[in-house]
Amino acid sequence: MSADLLPALLEQINGDARRHADWGRVASYIPELACVDPAQFAISVCCVDGREYHAGDVGVGFSIQSVSKVFTLALALGRFGDGLWERVGKEPSGRAFNSIVQLEVEDGIPRNPFINAGAIVTTDAVLGSNAPRDTLGEILLFLREAAEDGDIHINDSVARSEYATGDRNFALAHFLRSCGNLHNSCDKVLGTYFHHCAIEMTTAQLARAARFLCGGFAGQRMIGIERVRSINALMMTCGHYDGSGAFAYRVGFPGKSGVGGGIMAVVPNVASIAVWSPGLDRYGNSQQGTAALERLSRDTGWSVFS
Ligand code: DON
C-alpha cells in the first residue's frame, strides 16, 4: 500500500474505534488507572522513510505500564547478553500477566521477560548494585534518546498507587527471592519496577521510541540487529500474555501491550507503531487498540508472515 493512503486510513481507524463504542474496561487494580476515561483512542505510525502519521488523541499522555518492559529488557540484554537467559525464559506462558502458579513449578525461573515475574527479574538485573534513582534515570535516558524527545517522565501518583495495591507483585518478588532469583530487596526492585511502569508517553512519542526495534531507520543504532530480532521474537510470542497467539493471528507483527491501554508494535524494516485506547479485553490488552492494529495490518498488507 502506498504511504500516501496512510493518513486517510488512520482517520478511518480512528473513526471506527469511536463509532464502535465497545471500549472494554479500564484496569481497576491500579486505582489511578481506574479513573481514566475509556472513550479515548490514538494511533501513530513512523515509517522508515521518516514520514509520520497520527490520528486521534495523539497529544494525550498515558501510562505505558508493561510496554516499559521492552526497554528494561533491551538494557538488561545490553548488560548481560545471553547470560540473562539463565534467570528468565523465552517461552510464552499461556497465563495471565500476573500469574503465580507457574513460578513454583518452574523453580523461580519466570517463563519470559514480559510477564510480571520476568520483568521483575530483568528490573533486578538492570538495577545491579545501583540506586533505583540511577536505574530509572538510565531507563528514561534510553527512552528519551530512542524517541528523540526529552519530555518523557514518570507519573509518581501512578507509581505510588500501584505500590499501595501491589500485593500480587510483592508475592511474586518474594517467591523469586526465596528461589535466589532476586538479588536486591523486594522493596527496592518493585519500587523501581512500579516507577518504570508509570512512565507516561503519547502515541507519537512511543511510536518514535519504537523505531530502534524496526531496522531501516537512518541513525537508529541503539542496539545491535541480533538483539532487535530477539526482542521482536519475544514480543511476537509473549507480548500479549495468554492473548499472544490471537494477536499474532489477527495482527501478524510483533507488539507489546500494557494495562494502560497502549500497544507498541513493529513492522520490521517498514514502520513502528503505537496505539492507545485505555479499555482492555479480558487478557488485559487494549480492546480498540488491537482492533485498530488488525485493521491497519489488513488494509496495508503489513505482516511478518507473508
Ligand atoms: O505490574 C503490573 O501489574 C503493571 N505495572 C503492569 C501490567 C501490565 O501492563 C500488563 N499488560 N497488559
Side-chain angles (χ1 to χ4, degrees), residues 129-238:
S129 54
N130 299 321
R133 177 179 294 276
D134 295 335
T135 299
L136 289 167
E138 196 182 346
I139 296 169
L140 278 174
L141 186 68
F142 188 96
L143 265 168
R144 289 171 181 162
E145 277 184 17
E148 294 179 289
D149 189 334
D151 194 19
I152 296 171
H153 304 279
I154 293 169
N155 182 325
D156 278 315
S157 324
V158 173
R160 272 198 303 274
S161 173
E162 187 168 4
Y163 194 94
T165 54
D167 296 320
R168 177 70 74 109
N169 282 324
F170 272 98
L172 289 167
H174 281 288
F175 191 81
L176 287 163
R177 206 169 141 78
S178 78
C179 298
N181 200 8
L182 210 65
H183 303 161
N184 289 284
S185 72
C186 298
D187 218 41
K188 183 173 169 186
V189 179
L190 287 181
T192 312
Y193 169 81
F194 292 142
H195 278 81
H196 75 63
C197 286
I199 291 170
E200 218 161 76
M201 293 171 81
T202 64
T203 55
Q205 290 173 321
L206 191 57
R208 289 180 196 129
R211 293 175 302 187
F212 84 103
L213 290 173
C214 193
F217 277 103
Q220 283 290 327
R221 286 183 198 85
M222 312 254 329
I223 60 172
I225 192 67
E226 302 81 17
R227 295 272 178 257
V228 165
R229 289 186 185 134
S230 313
I231 293 172
N232 285 342
L234 287 162
M235 290 209 296
M236 186 92 254
T237 51
C238 314

Side-chain angles (χ1 to χ4, degrees), residues 26-45:
V26 295
S28 55
Y29 74 103
I30 302 174
E32 278 291 303
L33 298 185
C35 319
V36 176
D37 175 8
Q40 301 186 79
F41 177 85
I43 185 164
S44 294
V45 177

Side-chain angles (χ1 to χ4, degrees), residues 94-122:
R95 298 196 181 270
F97 61 86
N98 57 0
S99 172
I100 294 181
V101 67
Q102 247 162 7
L103 203 55
E104 180 172 12
V105 181
E106 299 184 356
D107 298 324
I109 306 292
R111 271 282 168 122
N112 66 66
F114 294 148
I115 52 171
N116 286 7
I120 291 168
V121 168
T122 57

